[in-house]
Amino acid sequence: MPDLPEYYFRIRDTGAAVFRVDSENRHRRIEMEHIAVVNTNRGDFKPQGDRILTDADIAAIEDWLSARAKVLKQRTLDDIHRAIDHLNLTAQWAQSKASDAELDDITDPLLLAMHDLRSVLVRKKADRMVTKNDR
């Protein structure tokens, strides 16, 4: 049997369930013991039930939390770059292919979303410029 990791993290919407993996038992089966729950939004974790986590458990969870935060940050940036592409594709569609009925359906919600985004970006850019000038 190939070497398995000591821990398995089952991804959930807000984090993960953490399992300790055991493949060195007398039945030669893979057993997974649920040891903790991780919340990536808060950056914390809790032992499962009355379980007491070992130093190795805590270190593995903290390492996973750190790596997961980096992955989620990169995915967010990738999603934003895709959103830019989608905006460009939407502009092309609206200009060349959209029917009047389709434009009626999407114009107001799209304009409001774009106005909201523009307001946030302009405000954040102004804040950065003020901060930069204060240095």
Side-chain angles (χ1 to χ4, degrees):
M1 182 179 291
D3 288 337
L4 295 173
E6 288 185 55
Y7 299 93
Y8 171 72
F9 294 82
R10 181 193 301 150
I11 305 298
R12 300 173 5 167
D13 287 341
T14 59
V18 183
F19 297 87
R20 189 178 299 122
V21 178
D22 177 16
S23 61
E24 300 294 327
N25 55 63
R26 66 185 177 151
H27 301 293
R28 306 193 102 208
R29 292 186 209 146
I30 297 172
E31 294 181 7
M32 297 190 337
E33 177 186 6
H34 191 186
I35 62 168
V37 175
V38 179
N39 186 309
T40 52
N41 295 335
R42 292 191 310 257
D44 66 2
F45 55 92
K46 295 179 185 172
Q48 179 66 23
D50 295 332
R51 187 164 320 287
I52 296 174
L53 299 176
T54 67
D55 290 342
D57 296 339
I58 293 169
I61 292 169
E62 288 174 344
D63 289 348
W64 182 88
L65 251 172
S66 175
R68 185 69 178 167
K70 290 175 188 173
V71 165
L72 293 175
K73 183 177 180 179
Q74 184 60 48
R75 284 185 185 166
T76 298
L77 292 174
D78 289 344
D79 288 345
I80 292 166
H81 285 285
R82 276 192 289 282
I84 294 166
D85 289 348
H86 282 287
L87 281 172
N88 285 302
L89 293 169
T90 301
Q92 183 61 34
W93 169 82
Q95 183 177 25
S96 63
K97 297 178 183 174
S99 69
D100 288 347
E102 290 170 326
L103 289 171
D104 285 343
D105 188 42
I106 60 100
T107 296
D108 290 342
L110 188 56
L111 285 173
L112 288 170
M114 290 174 17
H115 174 73
D116 182 33
L117 177 59
R118 184 184 185 283
S119 297
V120 169
L121 292 174
V122 167
R123 183 177 64 249
K124 294 293 240 175
K125 183 163 187 153
D127 291 349
R128 287 193 314 274
M129 290 174 72
V130 167
T131 302
K132 188 177 182 180
N133 289 337
D134 288 344
R135 289 182 194 170

